[in-house]
């Protein structure tokens, strides 16, 4: 394998990890785009932090009150 091919393989793997991190971020109630970009910049370190940190708790949705009209 030449150096040129190695660069293409590593770049492809880096981009694949960033795409997977963005998808996984959605399952943990985090911003997919933000984590995609973070993983694109910082690589496996950002992906590791995404896996290790606990998921974000969702805020409860406001329930409409069903009080009788006055």
């Amino acid at each position: 394998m030449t150096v040129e091919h190695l660069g293409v393989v590593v770049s492809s793997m880096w981009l694949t990890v960033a795409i997977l991190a963005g998808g996984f971020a959605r399952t943990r109630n985090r911003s997919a785009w933000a984590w995609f970009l973070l993983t694109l910049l910082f690589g496996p370190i950002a992906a590791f932090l995404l896996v290790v940190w606990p998921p974000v708790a969702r805020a409860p949705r406001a329930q409409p009150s069903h009080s009788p009209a006055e």
Side-chain angles (χ1 to χ4, degrees), residues 7-63:
V8 170
V9 169
V10 170
S11 298
S12 299
M13 290 174 53
W14 198 281
L15 182 63
T16 302
V17 169
I19 292 169
L20 291 172
F24 184 66
R26 284 187 141 185
T27 66
R28 302 191 47 100
N29 300 327
R30 297 185 183 274
S31 170
W33 280 109
W35 280 96
F36 169 75
L37 292 175
L38 283 172
T39 306
L40 201 58
L41 293 174
F42 299 112
I45 295 170
F48 174 76
L49 290 175
L50 177 63
V51 171
V52 172
W53 285 344
V56 175
R58 285 198 173 188
R61 298 180 103 183
Q63 296 287 335

